[in-house]
Amino acid sequence: MKEDLLHYVWRFQRFDLHNLQTTEGESIQVQQTGEHNHNAGPDFLNARIKIGSTIWAGNVEMHLNSSDWIKHQHQTDKAYENVILHVVLEEDEIIHRQNGSRIPCLLLKKRIPTKLSKIYQKLLHNEFWIPCQHHFYEVGDMTKVLWLDRLLVERLESKIIVIENLLKENTNNWETTFYQVLARNFGVKVNAEPFERLAKSLPLPILGKHKSNLFQIEALLFGQSGLLQDDFEDDYPKRLQKEFNFLQKKYQLTPLQKSNWRFLRMRPANFPTIRIAQFAQLVFQSVHLFSKVLAVKNVKEIENMFELKLSNYWQTHYVFDKLSVKRNKSLGKNAIHLFVINTIAPFLFLYGRSRDNDDYKDIAFRLLEELKPENNSIITKWKELGMEPDSAYQTQALLQLKNVYCDRKRCLECAIGNGILKG
């Protein structure tokens, strides 16, 4: 058994509450279980418990064995001095505070329902795709829908952590931060890091000075990426190279190394050369992208904003000096929708939260609701279990459920797992 089960039965009072007593025989009445603490310190804070004839206000700590108090060195930690009750499965050692007083102890070994314990053990130790695979259908749709709503918010909150850190680095400059995060997502997974380093090494104000000249923006981005360090045959990269040499000296730029970029095992449409050309076109169309994003009302407006037409050279090339069949290499809708999911919606959510303005958060939710459900191996498996998502709002929540709860067997923290245990 894990301590998580003790936390669960205490939090939801899912144990035999009849004639509760400390191991010394004093009566116990739980008036408030306390707030579940996920940080350092006692497991439950600000509990209110009547022990004997005295009402105590303080914290509750839980262990499988009372001796774990000593193993975890709580006896030397002042944060545990205000523990008013020690809840354990087994009391194998009497525990005292630093002043010598004994900490009241509640023994739960015979109070946890056998059925609950067995179900939990099955969830914990099976090897199914999700722990509750054979019980998933037992939980009502309303429970699932409400839990997915919560998981969507949780997923957005996890995504904005990176944005918040970058905002601090950029002295709360939203335009610069959006430019850097968007650049990272232009790199897809394989080239995300070098794309972010490219954006950080080439400040947005420099690009802004050349906002009316696409060729100079391309020269700056390709040159700073390190992809103009070869001896070229084509006129186009030669001219880019010459222009960048001038701009590099002007702005005292230090380019990245060409070796940072990955081309192998990638679809040509996602080659960093094509992505940089697309990014250059987007910056050319507007260097104040975040301001535009704040004004969007629907996905169609974003699709229009990201409608990019590359120069003639890139119509017939995927890399410099290698001719290819002529193709339109504009961003597809799937790529634009990924920008909505991974960049635009999280930014709107964070901006709304930072401004205490629910309108922006609502737009973030609405954009995800407008997008078609994502199609990947995880969502396919959810469909096999009867979940039929109708938007990216739900697929994002299902990804959070699988990756953060099911894979880590956090059934006790999951509303669906709770529903199964209550049954």
Side-chain angles (χ1 to χ4, degrees), residues 148 151-152 155 159 338 341 368-369 371-376 378-380 382-383 387-403:
L148 290 180
L151 288 174
L152 187 277
R155 188 163 179 82
K159 289 182 178 184
L338 284 176
I341 291 170
L368 293 175
E369 286 175 337
L371 295 179
K372 291 181 179 180
E374 297 156 272
N375 186 18
N376 54 51
I378 292 179
I379 300 306
T380 298
W382 278 120
K383 288 180 180 178
M387 296 297 290
E388 287 288 344
D390 57 18
S391 68
Y393 181 106
Q394 292 183 333
T395 54
Q396 281 290 293
L398 288 170
L399 290 172
Q400 184 77 0
L401 176 56
K402 169 62 177 169
N403 296 331

Side-chain angles (χ1 to χ4, degrees), residues 80-106:
Y80 291 84
E81 279 297 284
N82 195 31
V83 169
I84 58 176
L85 185 65
H86 194 195
V87 180
V88 301
L89 203 64
E90 296 270 9
E91 187 184 42
D92 59 344
E93 186 171 344
I94 296 173
I95 302 301
H96 297 86
R97 299 185 180 88
Q98 290 182 6
N99 63 10
S101 61
R102 181 171 174 172
I103 299 177
C105 182
L106 171 62

Side-chain angles (χ1 to χ4, degrees), residues 17-35:
L17 296 166
H18 178 69
N19 194 28
L20 285 183
Q21 292 183 338
T22 68
T23 51
E24 291 184 286
E26 286 191 283
S27 63
I28 297 175
Q29 291 181 22
V30 181
Q31 297 182 352
Q32 293 178 12
T33 59
E35 304 156 13

Side-chain angles (χ1 to χ4, degrees), residues 274-310:
I274 297 300
R275 287 292 189 166
I276 290 173
Q278 292 168 340
F279 192 62
Q281 181 67 40
L282 182 64
V283 172
F284 172 67
Q285 290 178 188
S286 177
V287 291
H288 300 293
L289 286 167
F290 185 62
S291 298
K292 282 192 171 183
V293 164
L294 289 178
V296 299
K297 300 299 180 185
N298 52 57
V299 171
K300 183 62 179 175
E301 291 181 10
I302 295 173
E303 290 174 349
N304 292 338
M305 189 190 310
F306 281 78
E307 188 174 330
L308 311 174
K309 185 177 181 180
L310 300 191

Side-chain angles (χ1 to χ4, degrees), residues 114-323:
T114 303
K115 182 180 178 182
L116 186 153
S117 182
K118 284 183 177 179
I119 293 174
Y120 174 63
Q121 292 301 323
K122 285 182 180 179
L123 294 176
L124 198 63
H125 297 296
N126 72 59
E127 297 298 326
F128 300 129
W129 187 72
I130 58 172
C132 65
Q133 191 156 316
H134 293 315
H135 298 276
F136 188 73
Y137 67 92
E138 298 172 5
V139 179
D141 290 342
M142 184 57 70
T143 297
K144 292 173 183 174
V145 168
L146 292 175
W147 181 229
L148 290 180
D149 285 345
R150 172 58 206 155
L151 288 174
L152 187 277
V153 173
E154 190 177 290
R155 188 163 179 82
L156 285 172
E157 287 174 341
S158 68
K159 289 182 178 184
I160 66 176
I161 292 173
V162 174
I163 301 174
E164 288 177 312
N165 291 335
L166 278 175
L167 273 171
K168 290 178 183 177
E169 290 180 21
N170 296 322
T171 60
N172 217 38
N173 187 313
W174 287 87
E175 286 287 356
T176 293
T177 303
F178 185 78
Y179 158 69
Q180 292 173 355
V181 175
L182 185 62
R184 180 182 180 85
N185 285 311
F186 255 84
V188 199
K189 288 183 179 180
V190 176
N191 287 303
E193 291 293 335
F195 233 116
E196 183 178 336
R197 289 200 296 273
L198 169 60
K200 286 183 174 180
S201 69
L202 186 58
L204 191 57
I206 291 179
L207 290 172
K209 291 177 181 178
H210 303 272
K211 61 184 179 181
S212 59
N213 192 319
L214 175 60
F215 181 74
Q216 289 181 329
I217 292 174
E218 288 179 330
L220 282 164
L221 285 166
F222 277 114
Q224 192 62 10
S225 73
L227 295 174
L228 292 180
Q229 295 170 357
D230 295 331
D231 292 325
F232 298 109
E233 295 179 3
D234 289 351
D235 179 61
Y236 171 69
K238 284 181 179 179
R239 290 193 299 113
L240 286 176
Q241 199 174 51
K242 182 179 179 180
E243 186 69 20
F244 179 69
N245 288 339
F246 167 74
L247 295 171
Q248 180 186 5
K249 292 175 184 176
K250 180 178 180 179
Y251 296 115
Q252 298 182 323
L253 298 173
T254 302
L256 277 63
Q257 293 298 314
K258 180 181 177 181
S259 59
N260 286 319
W261 301 94
R262 298 289 177 264
F263 287 81
L264 292 177
R265 292 184 291 278
M266 292 188 69
R267 292 174 58 244
N270 287 330
F271 278 178
T273 42
I274 297 300
R275 287 292 189 166
I276 290 173
Q278 292 168 340
F279 192 62
Q281 181 67 40
L282 182 64
V283 172
F284 172 67
Q285 290 178 188
S286 177
V287 291
H288 300 293
L289 286 167
F290 185 62
S291 298
K292 282 192 171 183
V293 164
L294 289 178
V296 299
K297 300 299 180 185
N298 52 57
V299 171
K300 183 62 179 175
E301 291 181 10
I302 295 173
E303 290 174 349
N304 292 338
M305 189 190 310
F306 281 78
E307 188 174 330
L308 311 174
K309 185 177 181 180
L310 300 191
S311 60
N312 290 334
Y313 184 85
W314 292 113
Q315 299 296 321
T316 55
H317 292 77
Y318 286 102
V319 293
F320 294 119
D321 284 351
K322 288 186 179 180
L323 196 66

Side-chain angles (χ1 to χ4, degrees), residues 324-346:
S324 66
V325 177
K326 186 174 182 179
R327 280 184 183 162
N328 178 19
K329 298 182 179 70
S330 59
L331 286 171
K333 283 191 177 182
N334 286 341
I336 297 172
H337 294 173
L338 284 176
F339 291 139
V340 175
I341 291 170
N342 295 317
T343 306
I344 294 173

